[in-house]
Amino acid sequence: MADFEKHLKALEQVVERMERGDLALDESVRLFEEGVKLSDACKKELEAAEEKIQVLVERGKNMVATDLDVTDDKE
């Protein structure tokens, strides 16, 4: 998941640079392409995380709760 944070930070930097509006057209296009790649990478990371969460939720549904005897037997 560390890649997600790295990609998101880089994407934010790309957006900030583009929002300034002081770039040449070719640099804007290059940054746009980079932003699309970073966005795709973030999306893939999020989808992988969602799949892991779904597996854990399904596993949790299949678990059986058991009663634990927590009474003090020192009497």
Side-chain angles (χ1 to χ4, degrees):
M1 297 297 154
D3 285 344
F4 175 78
E5 285 82 9
K6 182 179 75 173
H7 291 136
L8 184 59
K9 179 115 177 117
L11 180 58
E12 289 171 347
Q13 292 171 346
V14 166
V15 170
E16 287 174 8
R17 287 190 62 200
M18 291 186 72
E19 284 180 338
R20 286 187 220 138
D22 59 353
L23 299 171
L25 180 60
D26 60 334
E27 180 68 3
S28 294
V29 170
R30 188 191 69 73
L31 283 175
F32 184 82
E33 289 173 334
E34 183 180 340
V36 169
K37 289 177 185 176
L38 290 166
S39 177
D40 287 344
C42 287
K43 181 180 177 185
K44 287 178 184 176
E45 287 285 328
L46 287 172
E47 288 171 349
E50 185 178 14
E51 287 175 15
K52 287 179 184 179
I53 290 169
Q54 189 63 36
V55 167
L56 293 171
V57 167
E58 289 300 318
R59 279 188 197 165
K61 288 179 182 177
N62 296 327
M63 295 179 126
V64 176
T66 58
D67 290 332
L68 298 176
D69 186 9
V70 292
T71 58
D72 191 3
D73 292 333
K74 295 181 182 178
E75 296 176 31

